[in-house]
Amino acid sequence: MRCQQTAAIIYRSTMGLVIYLCLVHGLAPGLLIAQEPIRFAREILPIIQDHCIACHYPGNAKGDISLATFDDLEAAGYVVLGEPDSSYLIELVTSHDGQQASMPKDGPALTEQQVRLLRDWIEQGAQWPADITIHERPKADASWWSLQPLGKPTVPELDSQSRQQYRDWLRTPIDRFVLDELQQADLAPNPLADRSTLLRRLTFDLTGLPPTPEEMAAFLADESPLAYERQVDRLLASPRYGEHWGRHWLDVVRFGESTGYERNIIIDDAWPFRDYVIRSLNADKPFSTLIQEHLAGDVVAADDPQREIGAAFLVNGPYDNVGNQDPVQAAQIRANTIDEMIRASSEAFLGLTFGCARCHDHKFDPIRQTDYYQLYATFAGVEHGSQVWASASERQARAERLGPLQEQKNQLTQQHDALLESIRSRASAHEQEYASRWTRPTVNRTGTQEDFSPVEARFVRLLCDARDDNVAARSGFHIDEFEVWSANLPKRNVALAAKGGVASGPSRSIEDFPGAYGPQLTIDGESGACFIASDNYLMIELATPETIDRVVFSSAKDANKPEQPKFSFPGEYRIEVSLDGKSWTEVASGADRLPVSPDHRQTRLLNLTQTDEEQRKLAELKRSLQAIEVQLRQIPPLPTAWIGKRNAQAAKGPFYVFLGGSPQKTGSEVAPASPAILDTFLEGYRIEDLEQESQRRFAFAQWVTDDQNALTARVLANRLWQYHFGTGIVSTPNDFGYMGEPPSHPELLDYLAGQLLRYGWRLKPIHKLIVMSGAYRQASTFREAAARSDADSRLLWRFPPQRLSAEEIRDCMLSIAGCLRLEMGGPGFRLYRYLQDNVATYVPLDEFSPDTYRRGVYHQNARACKTDLLTEFDQPDCAFSAAKRAITTTPLQALTALNHEFTIDMANAMAERLIAEVGSDAMLQVQRAFLLCFGRLPTQQEE
């Protein structure tokens, strides 16, 4: 652009001279220069956008030229500033000798007026604002079907013959819409399903579990016309409803309980959001309220933790927490994080792919890049992380309990520090005197040796008074060799296990990688033992009393292989011996060695300077402080939840469009505002005051859930239909734009959305409306003739058969085996072993305890984690929104289901259940098994 600006300055100076000469010679300057300045955005941009950019844009630069920016145009040499006749661009778009212009190749040629505008623009210096990048016009515009106000479709009228023919099938207005489409396609619906099939379908659909034999028998025995409706009401009122349908919504909002990316650390306090979703659905909370709580729970439900947790939606997604120190990379990671929130929000609530407008205007939908960055500004203050999850009264109550104890602690700490400072002052005066006593080298991890007068001992112990890396810590040190040498010739290491030596002590193991590190207490003298002390000593018991005169201990015996710094070594120590393990005598210490650090030096000086009375007083103050610490620890901490944090500084802005999506290239300034996509019928908002971070999210939440926002209502109604019938009226539930599929029943979709608004955004009335319909209650019988014209039954000539989800398969096994535990809520169970050392590893379990016999929704789902049975049956990775689960059929599914340890456990449990319920009669066992598994008795062939 600098070259362009310089050329423009030269051009303007030259044109001034030309105008002067023209006036002197009586020529009209209008013959040489356009009198009106060309407005690029209004006159030139539309020409390039409508006729050129479709072929000439980055990534598809036909002829190796892009027309997205002036730099692209200038780099190709297509424009000579001030000289249209010398500009190749004008030559390409101008007709010559009656021949059509070379460009554009596709579509009509430019008009004379358009060519004249381009000539005048070049003649005037080809001004192109730096912040404008030209993109192709989207395929869809404001007239796109999903962006229209919600219609009020009339329920189709059927002729008398149809009403008579299908009188048992026509149950709700839904059926009239469905039947109308079927008849237009010369199709007819299936008859209603039998009652046992219907109850199984309904029970799985609403609760994710099979009906019990008792529930089935009661339904089949109920001959009332209201029998089916009573089952619908019962199942919608069941707590199992929220668990099953909550799992659907958790899929959509990409709920996961690990951070994802390369570290993928588990998040142990994410589960309150899952419980909140289940609780909200069971209570039939208006979904508009749920969405508002998702986007701004800290505003609409301030001081109500059970609702405020809904805002955890914003941080449900994967989170890169590596912590890159490069500012450029950190800015890019932050941009990626907010992009994930924008994508999740726009797809879940609006069914539009706003993320495609991150780098440029959306190519297919009328979403501008500025729309995207207005949402970016909306979420700019949200950060991932845990927060205290408690009401103001709970916080106050705990603060009142902590206050007096904290005050006592502060007073005692002041007394302790004052006395310590007094001792330090005296110690500094005698520092040289004390330091002269430290004549030996400091401790050495590769081998520290202590020689002493021969002494008879059966027990030898090393006591750590301070670690080398922490003068205040005595426990947690690491030893890999401990040698005890006899005084008599020949010299022998009598601590060796081969000589009968036995090492002991309070050691710990590292849970995440057992076996990799301690406790291994055998002193073998070869590979070395690994001892990580959880207290301050290591003891060796010799086979018999021995006369000894030397001890050697180390933590990195091979100086060429330095030890990992995570392990500590004794910095201050004592060696003691005993014959009976009760009475101990000190034979050596590190007191005359040089201190390992300035902190150790200072601590020694204090210990040597303080009087007995000062020592007693310090010990008394420490005991009092420890007692208060115990009382403080007894006050339970407030719970935390992965609800996210708010960064007021990041929320202040200013905010800009990122050119090409790069935070390093900023364009025009933007403010939090509603997308312009629905401005024709929905009032928008714009927030200039950036002080209140929460208010912009609240404004967005209100805009999304406004009753006039037809998009949100359509998307939600479609999701409900999808989970009942397997495929939505729009089969791409997260994309209602140009690249999505058109609706199979557009009037029905608007009807359902209208009913959703009529019932105040409550879902259960819509569920009931759907499952009471004949379309839902019809049989799934296959008819070849109908399948030839509608193979997927999109027009619903039959009820589309559906495979159970991964969780339903597992829950069903637990249920029929009599093992399902119905405890609700709380931290989830794991079907994997979790290992963590900077990065996380998830190892699928081979054995399963009854603690894992809960419903699948309570599994602690981690990202990029395979859990055998669930993964094989297409449980999605929660790194992304799973608006519609994949359904695959593979040999591995059958093999896993048959041979998995869980399946074998359930088979054994079911066998025990059958014996307990019907005894040892094989026929009765088969009949009971069929009732449990299929809700019916076996046929004669099956028996």
Side-chain angles (χ1 to χ4, degrees), residues 412-429:
L412 290 171
T413 301
Q414 290 174 5
Q415 295 176 38
H416 178 273
D417 292 348
L419 179 55
L420 208 57
E421 185 58 36
S422 173
I423 299 171
R424 284 197 184 100
S425 298
R426 294 204 317 274
S428 63

Side-chain angles (χ1 to χ4, degrees), residues 499-576:
K499 303 294 185 182
V502 177
S504 62
S507 62
R508 71 177 178 88
S509 62
I510 297 179
E511 278 185 23
D512 294 340
F513 296 93
Y517 310 112
Q520 303 168 14
L521 301 181
T522 301
I523 307 298
D524 59 15
E526 295 294 334
S527 61
C530 179
F531 179 86
I532 305 174
S534 59
D535 207 334
N536 71 324
Y537 75 92
L538 164 64
M539 184 175 72
I540 303 293
E541 181 180 356
L542 307 180
T544 60
E546 297 276 358
T547 300
I548 61 174
D549 64 357
R550 183 173 22 137
V551 167
V552 181
F553 56 95
S554 64
S555 181
K557 196 167 186 178
D558 188 345
N560 296 320
K561 297 179 180 179
E563 184 193 22
Q564 297 183 56
K566 69 173 67 175
F567 294 126
S568 303
F569 191 68
E572 306 287 343
Y573 62 88
R574 290 170 286 138
I575 305 293
E576 296 183 342

Side-chain angles (χ1 to χ4, degrees), residues 155 214 263 341 357 433:
V155 178
E214 293 72 27
R263 295 195 67 211
M341 296 181 200
E433 174 191 346

Side-chain angles (χ1 to χ4, degrees), residues 244-256 313 316-318 340 343-345 347-349 715 718-720 722-723 726 728 731-735 805-807 861 863 870 873-887:
H244 181 54
W245 280 79
R247 180 65 266 170
H248 292 326
W249 186 241
L250 294 172
D251 278 1
V252 173
V253 298
R254 88 281 188 225
F255 172 71
F313 157 80
N316 270 349
E340 196 278 333
R343 290 173 185 269
S345 302
E347 292 175 13
F349 309 136
V715 168
N718 186 68
R719 294 194 194 280
L720 294 178
Q722 170 194 316
Y723 290 120
S731 62
T732 51
N734 273 12
D735 190 354
S805 69
E807 291 87 347
N861 286 334
R863 295 180 165 93
L870 295 179
F873 284 95
D874 304 310
Q875 183 191 56
D877 185 349
C878 37
F880 306 99
S881 171
K884 186 177 181 180
R885 290 195 176 190
I887 299 176

Side-chain angles (χ1 to χ4, degrees), residues 803-804 871-875 885-891 893:
R803 194 188 72 191
L804 298 181
T871 302
E872 297 304 339
F873 284 95
D874 304 310
Q875 183 191 56
R885 290 195 176 190
I887 299 176
T888 63
T889 302
T890 69
Q893 292 169 341

Side-chain angles (χ1 to χ4, degrees), residues 150-155 172-174 177 284 707 713-714 716-717 720-721 747-770:
L150 200 62
K152 296 182 179 180
T154 302
V155 178
T172 73
I174 288 173
F177 287 100
D284 205 16
D707 281 0
R714 285 191 181 106
L716 181 54
L720 294 178
W721 189 268
E747 293 81 10
L748 175 57
L749 180 60
D750 274 16
Y751 171 79
L752 291 171
Q755 292 300 302
L756 183 67
L757 297 180
R758 175 190 170 198
Y759 287 109
W761 293 84
R762 292 191 299 120
L763 303 190
K764 288 187 178 181
I766 311 303
H767 285 305
K768 186 171 182 178
L769 181 67
I770 292 173

